[in-house]
């Protein structure tokens, strides 16, 4: 199959280059999900809410968070990752409250399923001096960033960014386990370094991880003790070539096993055909930030619909871009 995308994107949510908090605006959004009806769910990070955009509509409906951070069940603080299960229950990585929230279908009140809530100023100071020393218990989080569910096994994978690990929550009994990393920050194959996103490939039983600080994409087979390199350098060097990244923030696979990466600081989306380490740019222009229809500015997350149309959270432009496959 030949995969090509129109390099001219269409803005389908948000207003290009303009931040705001109305139903038509976004403010530094981070992640998105496209459901089978082509509705969009967007974590509107700096508006502390999750917005739903019905297919064809540019007016968002707030379905989680109320725009005012607090520790109450109906609020969020800088939400990042989002996952929606087969029952349309919504899971949100509530980043700055260090928890994962569950919003059952139609509810505006979140239930904390993982994490102990907000760190105070003293605790944050301790954390910066002894990385991961607080909030690193198996049932705690430290700046969770992304969520990836597997409905077949009832697992929710959580990118536990500043604990340098991927944890797994079991839906049926609420148990937790560490499935990747957890050995401190670094470039060793047993370590992760500020991971930003995880994608579970059920075909191969592998986790694909956007290992952001190390500027690489790694593969961690469930049950293994270390990762193998997919794309990027082992030594953590950044770059803007067809084989390198600069602080990539999302990774996903299509049904053919091709790998897609949001290369955030290079302002582009890269596609790597199955088994290949040389990528091609399918959206954006390397190292050229902008807000016209062909440029991106700090793209944070990506998604594909059933037709393999590409959706990009164009974070610093406060918009969602759609690139049609042809």
């Amino acid at each position: 199959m030949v995969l090509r995308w129109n390099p001219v994107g269409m803005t389908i949510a948000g207003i290009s280059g303009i931040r705001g908090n109305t139903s038509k605006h976004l403010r530094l959004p981070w992640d998105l999900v496209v459901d089978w009806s082509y509705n969009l769910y967007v974590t509107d990070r700096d508006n502390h809410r999750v917005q739903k955009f019905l297919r064809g509509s540019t007016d968002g409906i707030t379905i989680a968070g109320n725009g005012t951070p607090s520790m109450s069940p109906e609020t969020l603080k800088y939400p990042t990752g989002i996952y929606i299960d087969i029952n349309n229950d919504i899971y949100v990585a509530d980043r700055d409250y260090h928890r994962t929230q569950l919003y059952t279908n139609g509810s505006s009140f979140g239930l904390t399923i993982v994490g102990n809530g907000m760190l105070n100023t003293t605790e944050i100071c301790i954390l910066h001096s002894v990385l991961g020393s607080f909030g690193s218990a198996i049932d705690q989080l430290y700046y969770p960033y992304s969520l990836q569910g597997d409905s077949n096994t009832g697992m929710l994978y959580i990118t536990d960014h500043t604990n340098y690990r991927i944890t797994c929550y079991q839906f049926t009994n609420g148990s937790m386990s560490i499935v990747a990393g957890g050995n401190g920050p670094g470039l060793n194959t047993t370590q992760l370094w500020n991971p930003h996103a995880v994608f579970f490939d059920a075909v191969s039983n592998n986790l694909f991880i956007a290992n952001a600080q190390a500027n690489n994409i790694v593969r961690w087979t469930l049950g293994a003790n270390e990762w193998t390199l997919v794309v990027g350098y082992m030594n953590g060097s950044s770059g803007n070539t067809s084989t390198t990244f600069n602080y990539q923030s999302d990774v996903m696979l299509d049904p053919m096993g091709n790998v897609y990466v949001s290369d955030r600081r290079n302002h582009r989306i890269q596609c790597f055909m199955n088994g290949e380490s040389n990528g091609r740019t399918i959206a954006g222009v390397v190292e050229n930030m902008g807000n016209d229809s062909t440029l991106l500015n700090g793209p944070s997350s990506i998604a594909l619909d059933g037709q393999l149309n590409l959706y990009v959270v164009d974070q610093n432009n406060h918009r969602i871009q759609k690139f049609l496959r042809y």
Side-chain angles (χ1 to χ4, degrees):
M1 177 185 293
V2 177
L3 294 177
R4 299 180 300 172
W5 288 263
N6 191 327
V8 179
M10 303 180 295
T11 300
I12 59 172
I15 299 176
S16 180
I18 302 175
R19 66 181 68 189
N21 59 7
T22 72
S23 63
K24 290 185 177 295
H25 286 90
L26 298 169
R27 185 181 178 93
L28 294 177
W30 185 265
D31 198 9
L32 85 161
V33 168
V34 184
D35 69 16
W36 291 106
S37 298
Y38 294 87
N39 302 311
L40 301 180
Y41 299 79
V42 181
T43 50
D44 191 11
R45 193 186 68 178
D46 279 31
N47 279 325
H48 314 292
R49 65 186 183 182
V50 176
Q51 296 291 90
K52 179 180 180 179
F53 294 86
L54 297 174
R55 182 177 184 177
S57 175
T58 57
D59 280 297
I61 304 165
T62 301
I63 58 172
N66 61 11
T68 304
S70 74
M71 286 297 291
S72 61
E74 69 271 23
T75 63
L76 300 165
K77 187 174 184 182
Y78 300 113
T80 45
I82 183 172
Y83 168 70
I84 301 176
D85 67 18
I86 57 176
N87 300 313
N88 284 325
D89 296 332
I90 300 170
Y91 299 79
V92 181
D94 193 11
R95 192 193 69 176
D96 279 32
Y97 284 147
H98 311 280
R99 62 186 181 179
T100 299
Q101 296 291 91
L102 164 62
Y103 294 82
T104 56
N105 190 359
S107 175
S108 60
F109 287 83
L111 170 68
T112 300
I113 59 172
V114 184
N116 289 342
M118 182 174 61
L119 303 179
N120 62 40
T121 302
T122 301
E123 290 163 345
I124 290 172
C125 290
I126 294 172
L127 280 165
H128 282 297
S129 61
V130 185
L131 290 173
S133 64
F134 184 88
S136 60
I138 191 63
D139 60 347
Q140 294 176 323
L141 300 171
Y142 185 17
Y143 293 125
Y145 260 83
S146 80
L147 304 174
Q148 173 77 59
D150 177 17
S151 58
N152 293 324
T153 59
M155 301 291 189
L156 181 71
Y157 299 100
I158 305 170
T159 305
D160 194 4
H161 175 273
T162 315
N163 278 324
Y164 318 107
R165 66 190 184 184
I166 308 298
T167 58
C168 180
Y169 172 81
Q170 172 60 253
F171 291 119
T172 56
N173 58 22
S175 64
M176 293 288 298
S177 59
I178 299 171
V179 292
N183 299 306
L187 298 171
N188 189 284
T189 57
T190 63
Q191 297 174 306
L192 299 173
W193 199 351
N194 290 350
H196 265 53
V198 61
F199 181 88
F200 175 65
D201 178 36
V203 175
S204 63
N205 207 38
N206 287 325
L207 299 174
F208 287 77
I209 302 168
N211 198 21
Q213 191 69 49
N215 295 299
N216 55 31
I217 301 295
V218 300
R219 179 191 296 109
W220 200 304
T221 302
L222 290 179
N225 295 318
E226 60 182 358
W227 52 258
T228 58
L229 185 69
V230 178
V231 187
Y233 288 130
M234 297 284 290
N235 65 6
S237 297
S238 63
N240 60 9
T241 70
S242 63
T243 61
T244 58
F245 306 109
N246 190 350
Y247 218 77
Q248 73 290 353
S249 55
D250 200 10
V251 59
M252 69 172 298
L253 274 65
D254 67 20
M256 290 79 70
N258 305 313
V259 178
Y260 302 79
V261 179
S262 182
D263 191 9
R264 184 155 61 107
R265 292 183 182 171
N266 279 326
H267 312 291
R268 64 181 179 178
I269 308 302
Q270 296 290 90
C271 175
F272 299 83
M273 303 305 287
N274 192 348
E276 296 184 4
S277 59
N278 277 290
R280 61 188 172 94
T281 300
I282 59 174
V285 179
V286 63
E287 287 197 315
N288 286 317
M289 67 179 73
N291 63 4
D292 69 19
S293 58
T294 63
L295 296 176
L296 302 169
N297 189 349
S300 55
S301 299
I302 49 179
L304 295 170
D305 64 23
Q307 303 300 315
L308 297 186
N309 297 308
L310 174 69
Y311 299 76
V312 180
V313 180
D314 192 11
Q315 183 193 23
N316 295 331
N317 282 325
H318 318 289
R319 66 185 183 182
I320 308 300
Q321 295 292 91
K322 181 179 180 179
F323 297 86
L324 295 175
R325 185 178 74 88
Y326 67 94

